[in-house]
């Protein structure tokens, strides 16, 4: 259920389901701490492929071995797959409808708030562990690397991991 519910409600793809997975995995089932989840999320972002399935595979494996990994990945993929098959003709028929476009536009702010809450939680955890200057410094450098210099996210994450290993441990 930890991955099935985000799979149903995670409208907009893997990144939209991350806060929902975090809520289930950290708050509800307590399989990971916020810090462990943020580390797993960083690694999942650094690797190629869909993020939601990587997270499900990893967390499922941690909780139930190979079978847990298979169940978690299936629970992540199945809702979208079933809905895509069932609704494909309907969506295709009304894809240019103003109502469908408005519906999508109204969902985006909710997803933005969910991602913002999760980012605040990560910032708070980092602040408690590394302090304000380190947290803000890493955030600013990461932002500049990603947005101004167009460095690939995987390299920024690896750089932050190396920095953390060298200077924060």
């Amino acid at each position: 259920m930890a991955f099935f519910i985000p799979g149903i409600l995670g409208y907009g793809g893997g990144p939209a389901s991350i806060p929902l997975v975090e809520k289930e995995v950290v708050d509800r089932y307590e399989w990971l701490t916020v810090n462990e989840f943020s580390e797993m999320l960083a690694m999942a972002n650094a690797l190629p492929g869909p993020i939601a399935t990587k997270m499900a595979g990893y967390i499922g494996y941690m909780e139930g071995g190979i079978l847990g990994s298979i169940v978690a990945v299936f629970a992540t993929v199945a809702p979208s797959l079933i809905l895509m098959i069932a609704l494909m003709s309907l969506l295709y028929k009304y894809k240019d409808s103003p109502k469908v476009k408005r519906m999508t536009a109204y969902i985006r702010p909710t997803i933005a708030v969910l991602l913002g809450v999760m980012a605040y939680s990560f910032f708070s955890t980092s602040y408690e562990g590394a302090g304000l200057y380190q947290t803000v410094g890493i955030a600013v450098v990461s932002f500049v690397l990603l947005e101004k210099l167009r460095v690939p996210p995987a390299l920024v994450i690896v750089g932050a991991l190396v920095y953390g290993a060298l200077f924060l441990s």
Side-chain angles (χ1 to χ4, degrees):
M1 292 307 286
F3 296 99
F4 188 74
I5 292 172
I8 292 173
L9 300 175
Y11 184 85
S17 67
I18 291 170
L20 301 171
V21 171
E22 192 246 355
K23 184 76 175 168
E24 294 289 319
V25 169
V26 173
D27 295 338
R28 184 172 179 189
Y29 293 105
E30 299 179 348
W31 290 335
L32 298 174
T33 64
V34 170
N35 194 36
E36 291 169 334
F37 186 83
S38 64
E39 290 172 356
M40 185 258 327
L41 179 62
M43 289 303 295
N45 263 328
L47 298 172
I51 191 166
T53 53
K54 288 182 286 187
M55 291 187 334
Y58 175 77
I59 295 168
Y61 183 78
M62 294 293 293
E63 292 302 314
I66 298 283
L67 181 62
S69 180
I70 292 169
V71 169
V73 170
F74 179 76
T76 300
V77 174
S80 297
L81 183 63
I82 293 167
L83 286 174
M84 280 291 292
I85 292 170
L87 299 175
M88 187 59 123
S89 63
L90 190 63
L91 287 174
Y92 186 74
K93 184 177 180 180
Y94 295 106
K95 71 178 182 180
D96 295 324
S97 165
K99 287 183 180 180
V100 172
K101 289 182 178 180
R102 271 197 310 264
M103 180 182 77
T104 302
Y106 291 157
I107 289 172
R108 287 183 181 150
T110 302
I111 293 169
V113 168
L114 289 171
L115 289 172
V117 168
M118 187 180 71
Y120 175 76
S121 175
F122 288 170
F123 185 86
S124 177
T125 302
S126 177
Y127 171 73
E128 291 170 6
L132 179 63
Y133 296 121
Q134 297 286 347
T135 300
V136 170
I138 292 170
V140 168
V141 169
S142 297
F143 178 80
V144 169
L145 290 173
L146 290 168
E147 295 298 320
K148 301 297 181 192
L149 302 177
R150 303 288 182 208
V151 174
L155 294 178
V156 175
I157 291 169
V158 169
L161 286 171
V162 170
Y163 179 83
L166 293 176
F167 298 108
L168 299 177
S169 56

